[in-house]
Amino acid sequence: MIASGTPAEASAPGAVPAGSMPSLPGWVVPRPGLTGRLSGGVRGPLTVITGPPGAGKTITALAWAASGAGPPVACWVTCDDSTVTVQGFCASLARSLSGAGIDTASAGRSPDPREAVTAALLDAAAPVAVVVDDFPARPGSAPAEVVDHLLRHAPAFRAVVLSRSDSPLPLNRHRLARELTEIRADDLAFGDHEVAEVLAQHGVRLTHASRRALHERTGGWPAAIRLAAMSMENHPDPEEFAARFAGDDQTVVGYLMEEVVDAQRPGARRLLLATSVVERVNAELAGELAGDAGRAFADMVRQNAFVVPLGRGWYRYHPMFGAALRLILRHESPGMVPVLHRRAAEWFERSGMLPDAVRQAVRAGDWQYASRMVVDRLAIGRALGLGPPEASLDLLDGIPDAAAFTGARPEPAIVAAAVAARRGDEASCAAALRHARRVLRRSPHDAAWMCLAAVELCRPGAAGFGGLAGASGEAALLRQAPGRLLDDRPELRSLALSGRAAAHVWHGELDEAAHHFCEALAAAEQAGGDVQRRRCLSDLALAEALLGNVAHAADLAGRARRLPEPPVSAKGDDLAAAELADAWGDVERWRPRAARRRVAQAFPGPLASAIQHLVKARADLCRGRPEHALEDLRAAGEMVPRPGWLGRRLALVSAEAHVARGEIEAARRDVERAGGPPSLETALALAHVEMSAGEDAAAVAALREGLHRHTRAPTDVRVEAWLLDARLAYRKGDRGEGRRSLDRALRLARREGIRRPFVMSRSWLLPLLRQDPMMLRAHRLLLEPLGLAAETGATVSPGGNGTVPVERLSPRELEVLRSVAQLMTTEEIAAHLYVSVNTVKTHLKSINRKLAVTRRGEAVRRAHELSLL
């Protein structure tokens, strides 16, 4: 509770005769929860209400007394100059008890006033609750001595102690005996409902968002909320006032100076001001900042209710109190502010607390010092935003150009480049990196070179697939860091592994690239940041797609999208590879229109752009538009630099387009132009050309050699190769060999859901499948786009082996079903898919209904029968 007058009036309604119960103002905010807790507390011997000035301690006790929910006898004592002695306090207490109808006549005649008051309480017919306001916090005070004595010797005595900090009473003893009720500052803080009521009392109306902001800024401190309401009564724009109201508001500062700061002794005052520059403080840091005055730190944290314990010896100030202290410090000693911040930075650095050290260096305006700490400790990943949000060094975002591009050391430029990279500002990042390299040539520094390499690997458009050409050198440089340092910096280890994987991509070693992207992902997960995890998942998805593992690629891309987006995104560049992976999978799963939609936007970097055009060309071939495919391939050929393997793939798809147009010689030239080491892709393209030219024997020879020599070719290539092998076998009348090759192609394709080669072979495949119902039943779902049901008159029923379900499973239901097939529990599936357990259960029920089963095992067996897995 707090009065609607000034906060000082609310906390000291003492303009009443000594010993009398103050009256309850009529403008208090009802708080039945607190009143109920106090009513329950006075059933026991001791209740303490602790909070800073203006927290509403006094009004809370008055509201309880006025409610009539306490003992039949309640009285009030306010500690002041007259109660500093045992005799004085007992006299005040005796007057209060006498006013409540308890005979205390003998108290004034007894040589020991404590015993006289005790005797009066022993004669009381019912419990007596005594509220002791403004209870002193110093040990050995007269009120503490008397109250402790009464608690031990007068069973009817109930003490309600109101204090700004913990009282010197033996609270632990009462806690252990379960005789203590505590109401602290957090309990006294206003909630949203109370804030609205105070504002309404002053005729102020705010939106819910503004009211919530006011509550967050004040921490629910009743005095601050009342001051804000009073200030807004005649303000022309209450919303604007609420948005900027903080601890530097004149009314708040004036109130705190009068009630708290100016009431301190000089040493304690100096300690408060010096330690206000840090977000958290302990005894050692207080001594570093305040010198000899730091010796009083233990007394300060015990006596000041605006000091909030954080645990393990650390404390912080109430946000508005801390802001007010900093304002006072700036007004009284502006020259000391940067000095104190620098002292704090040095102490935090010595203590190994890098984020705090950097924060204090930045606030001291010493960007050189802040940048040097980041670079020397290889913490550049935090500036790049690669760690968890709580470990981010986003306070470096304000580094000025004057700091980044001047001076004889490279660290500020490297940090400025990292900040620009995290924002997606490619031009600023490149300029800062150029400056850092110029400085480093004059002054080599190992840690600086490694941090520069890390920024190079993260610059916009350069992560993973985006910067293949230079990734190898940068990653090698980063791996020169001592193993211990990289062990402590998993985000940098992830970058080094990603760069190594990118180098393998450049050389066409996709299996090795996928392996190292997996390792990079594991390191990123250890680091805990979402940005690098998204990049690793996205790059790994594209590597798997290019390997033909489109189902796994889709799963990885989905995981990347489900991660939270970074606060600042470079136009979604970190998901560009995931988009390309999904587009590649859309083509293979016979969704060419979806693939075209995915690659409609521009992609960063020559490699991503070339793959984008390659996907478009493959989608155009699916749609029977080889001339459009050739246009896309010509556009892709203009993208440089690009790796040799991609140039070969472009040439081989060009050969496929020319075959579709009947231009056999042009197709043959494309195959010759592809060059490079022998591969199944080349053998497949050459076999297509030879078969189209009527040279089936040459086609068989080329294809068989490729199938037997290149068993690790991408899955989609092997599917198409075995399908062509089946076609050649059927053409020469070897139905047994043809069926074996066709079955092998279908089984390979079923695992990844690859449909494109079969749909594009519809003209010769349909007649064969009509004559082979067993093959058709085994792979009906995979072959569905061929339209076999419509052509053969086959019916689809909900039961029986080999038939499709009544309703098609959704993509998410298929993901759940795959997880079930891997024997994952419901909880493991929920964690894997980033959904709740109840959501997984809902999907399982839907799967069972659609597949007409009742158990998980039956669902998995049914799914295998239907080629869903």
Side-chain angles (χ1 to χ4, degrees):
M1 312 288 175
I2 187 166
S4 66
T6 66
E9 291 170 349
S11 60
V16 292
S20 301
M21 177 71 72
S23 59
L24 178 69
W27 25 251
V28 299
V29 176
R31 306 186 73 182
L34 281 180
T35 302
R37 284 185 62 182
L38 193 46
S39 298
V42 295
R43 297 191 184 100
L46 179 61
T47 301
V48 296
I49 304 179
T50 307
K57 304 179 294 294
T58 302
I59 297 299
T60 297
L62 285 175
W64 161 76
S67 71
V73 180
C75 51
W76 191 285
V77 176
T78 300
C79 297
D80 53 24
D81 291 343
S82 67
T83 61
V84 295
T85 64
V86 170
Q87 183 131 6
F89 182 77
C90 286
S92 182
L93 178 57
R95 286 194 298 273
S96 183
L97 292 171
S98 178
I102 295 176
D103 183 12
T104 58
S106 60
R109 298 191 298 270
S110 172
D112 186 349
R114 296 181 308 171
E115 295 300 334
V117 174
T118 301
L121 288 169
L122 287 172
D123 292 337
V128 179
V130 178
V131 178
V132 186
D133 196 7
D134 205 12
F135 198 86
R138 62 184 181 278
S141 68
E145 183 182 337
V146 174
V147 169
D148 185 42
H149 178 85
L150 293 175
L151 286 170
R152 285 186 284 112
H153 297 98
F157 180 63
R158 306 286 186 267
V160 180
V161 172
L162 314 183
S163 178
R164 291 188 176 186
S165 57
D166 279 343
S167 68
L169 295 171
L171 299 182
N172 283 331
R173 187 184 74 200
H174 289 286
R175 283 193 191 101
L176 291 173
R178 297 186 178 182
E179 297 174 345
L180 174 64
T181 296
E182 296 179 87
I183 298 176
R184 298 279 182 173
D186 288 345
D187 305 307
L188 296 168
F190 278 163
D192 186 67
H193 175 70
E194 286 90 0
V195 173
E197 286 214 31
V198 171
L199 294 173
Q201 287 180 1
H202 292 268
V204 178
R205 298 186 64 181
L206 294 177
T207 63
H208 178 69
S210 295
R211 194 169 68 242
R212 186 173 63 246
L214 178 64
H215 181 265
E216 290 175 355
R217 287 174 180 273
T218 59
W221 179 30
I225 292 168
R226 183 69 67 176
L227 287 169
M230 293 164 61
S231 301
M232 282 188 280
E233 273 187 301
N234 299 311
H235 196 280
D237 191 347
E239 296 283 340
E240 179 190 359
F241 181 91
R244 61 177 177 80
F245 183 73
D248 56 358
D249 185 88
Q250 184 178 357
T251 55
V252 175
V253 175
Y255 174 67
L256 289 172
M257 284 192 69
E258 180 181 344
E259 288 289 324
V260 184
V261 180
D262 288 345
Q264 304 291 323
R265 295 187 298 276
R269 191 179 192 276
R270 188 164 67 253
L271 175 61
L272 284 171
L273 294 176
T275 54
S276 68
V277 300
V278 291
E279 281 76 14
R280 55 178 180 149
V281 63
N282 62 11
E284 186 180 344
L285 178 56
E288 181 79 15
L289 295 173
D292 291 342
R295 297 173 184 171
F297 181 75
D299 291 334
M300 183 193 77
V301 299
R302 184 177 64 252
Q303 297 175 10
N304 195 318
F306 280 109
V307 180
V308 181
L310 299 175
R312 299 185 179 182
W314 288 95
Y315 298 84
R316 69 168 175 84
Y317 290 123
H318 182 285
M320 297 201 78
F321 184 60
L325 289 175
R326 290 189 288 274
L327 181 66
I328 296 168
L329 177 65
R330 288 198 300 272
H331 285 174
E332 294 183 356
S333 305
M336 280 302 296
V337 174
V339 174
L340 289 169
H341 282 303
R342 175 75 189 210
R343 283 183 196 167
E346 292 171 349
W347 186 90
F348 279 122
E349 184 187 17
R350 291 196 303 272
S351 303
M353 302 176 191
L354 183 65
D356 297 277
V358 173
R359 182 177 297 107
Q360 293 302 315
V362 167
R363 289 179 179 171
D366 194 339
W367 292 98
Q368 182 70 246
Y369 179 31
S371 302
R372 180 182 61 75
M373 286 190 285
V374 171
V375 172
D376 285 353
R377 295 174 183 268
L378 286 181
I380 197 69
R382 298 187 183 184
L384 287 162
L386 301 183
E390 62 271 16
S392 173
L393 294 178
D394 54 2
L395 65 156
L396 293 166
D397 287 7
I399 185 169
D401 288 346
F405 294 97
T406 58
R409 298 198 59 82
E411 291 90 351
I414 294 173
V415 167
V419 168
R422 186 164 60 82
R423 289 176 172 170
D425 185 347
E426 186 170 3
S428 298
C429 179
L433 286 172
R434 284 195 300 272
H435 180 77
R437 287 186 180 278
R438 284 197 297 270
V439 176
L440 275 170
R441 279 195 283 271
R442 296 195 302 268
S443 175
H445 192 273
D446 288 347
W449 278 109
M450 284 181 277
C451 288
L452 187 145
V455 179
E456 286 279 9
L457 288 169
C458 277
R459 62 191 297 179
F465 273 82
L468 301 185
S472 179
E474 303 297 350
L477 183 60
L478 193 56
R479 289 199 302 275
Q480 292 176 9
R484 177 183 54 80
L485 282 176
L486 282 187
D487 287 343
D488 295 337
R489 296 284 183 260
E491 67 278 6
L492 296 188
R493 191 165 72 253
S494 176
L495 275 182
L497 288 164
S498 291
R500 189 173 180 183
H504 283 299
V505 171
W506 182 262
H507 295 293
E509 300 160 349
L510 294 176
D511 284 317
E512 290 82 356
H515 171 72
H516 285 103
F517 277 134
C518 277
E519 290 185 330
L521 175 60
E525 288 174 341
Q526 182 185 350
D530 292 329
V531 172
Q532 183 65 2
R533 287 172 66 196
R534 279 163 61 93
R535 289 173 179 168
C536 290
L537 283 166
S538 184
D539 290 337
L540 179 57
L542 184 50
E544 292 289 356
L546 293 173
L547 285 167
N549 304 323
V550 293
H552 186 37
D555 177 63
L556 292 165
R559 287 171 59 191
R561 286 192 187 85
R562 287 192 292 273
L563 288 173
E565 291 188 13
V568 181
S569 176
K571 301 178 183 178
D573 288 358
D574 51 349
L575 286 179
E579 287 292 323
L580 289 171
D582 277 338
W584 192 279
D586 285 336
V587 171
E588 293 302 325
R589 292 178 168 187
W590 199 252
R591 295 193 288 257
R593 287 189 178 85
R596 292 283 303 193
R597 285 196 299 270
R598 284 189 189 277
V599 295
Q601 77 268 26
F603 283 80
L607 176 66
S609 296
I611 295 176
Q612 172 190 17
H613 286 293
L614 178 59
V615 171
K616 287 181 180 179
R618 289 164 63 87
D620 285 331
L621 287 173
C622 291
R623 301 169 70 185
R625 299 175 178 177
E627 63 283 354
H628 290 91
L630 290 171
E631 291 175 8
D632 286 319
L633 293 168
R634 279 191 290 271
E638 296 171 359
M639 302 294 171
V640 290
R642 67 173 186 273
W645 64 267
L646 182 56
R648 289 191 292 275
R649 282 209 173 187
L650 293 172
L652 295 176
V653 175
S654 177
E656 185 180 353
H658 282 299
V659 166
R661 288 168 58 91
E663 299 165 351
I664 306 303
E665 290 307 313
R668 198 183 299 277
R669 287 194 298 272
D670 284 334
V671 175
E672 292 172 357
R673 180 166 55 87
S679 65
L680 183 57
E681 293 98 320
T682 304
L684 175 62
L686 181 58
H688 268 298
V689 173
E690 298 293 357
M691 186 187 69
S692 300
E695 301 292 340
D696 283 15
V700 169
L703 188 60
R704 288 291 169 85
E705 183 182 6
L707 280 169
H708 291 99
R709 286 185 58 184
H710 307 292
T711 56
R712 297 182 61 188
T715 305
D716 51 350
V717 176
R718 285 187 289 142
V719 169
E720 193 166 358
W722 281 112
L723 182 60
L724 181 59
D725 187 68
R727 183 178 184 184
L728 289 167
Y730 279 118
R731 279 168 65 116
K732 70 177 182 179
D734 191 344
R735 300 185 63 84
E737 182 69 21
R739 192 178 192 281
R740 284 192 293 273
S741 294
L742 176 58
D743 184 63
R744 190 161 187 176
L746 286 165
R747 289 182 183 278
L748 269 175
R750 184 171 66 183
R751 186 177 63 196
E752 303 296 335
I754 295 172
R755 293 173 162 181
R756 179 188 60 83
F758 306 103
V759 182
M760 296 189 72
S761 302
R762 185 175 184 274
S763 60
W764 67 267
L765 197 54
L766 270 176
L768 291 172
L769 291 172
R770 292 194 189 102
Q771 299 173 27
D772 196 340
M774 187 178 296
M775 179 81 74
L776 180 58
R777 282 196 299 271
H779 303 286
R780 180 180 293 277
L781 194 63
L782 190 68
L783 298 170
E784 187 180 38
L786 276 70
L788 282 164
E791 294 221 2
T792 62
T795 58
V796 178
S797 64
N801 292 334
T803 56
V804 298
V806 175
E807 296 181 53
R808 193 182 306 278
L809 299 184
S810 69
R812 181 48 62 92
E813 288 168 349
L814 285 171
E815 286 185 275
V816 172
L817 190 56
R818 292 190 192 102
S819 300
V820 171
Q822 296 170 14
L823 303 181
M824 295 172 67
T825 66
T826 303
E827 290 74 15
E828 289 170 337
I829 296 172
H832 176 64
L833 299 180
Y834 297 92
V835 297
S836 69
V837 171
N838 286 336
T839 300
V840 174
K841 290 179 179 178
T842 300
H843 286 314
L844 288 171
K845 289 179 182 177
S846 179
I847 291 168
N848 289 345
R849 176 181 59 79
K850 292 180 178 181
L851 296 179
V853 297
T854 58
R855 297 178 182 274
R856 289 189 179 197
E858 294 172 353
V860 172
R861 286 193 296 273
R862 179 74 169 142
H864 279 299
E865 293 172 359
L866 298 171
S867 302
L868 295 177
L869 297 175

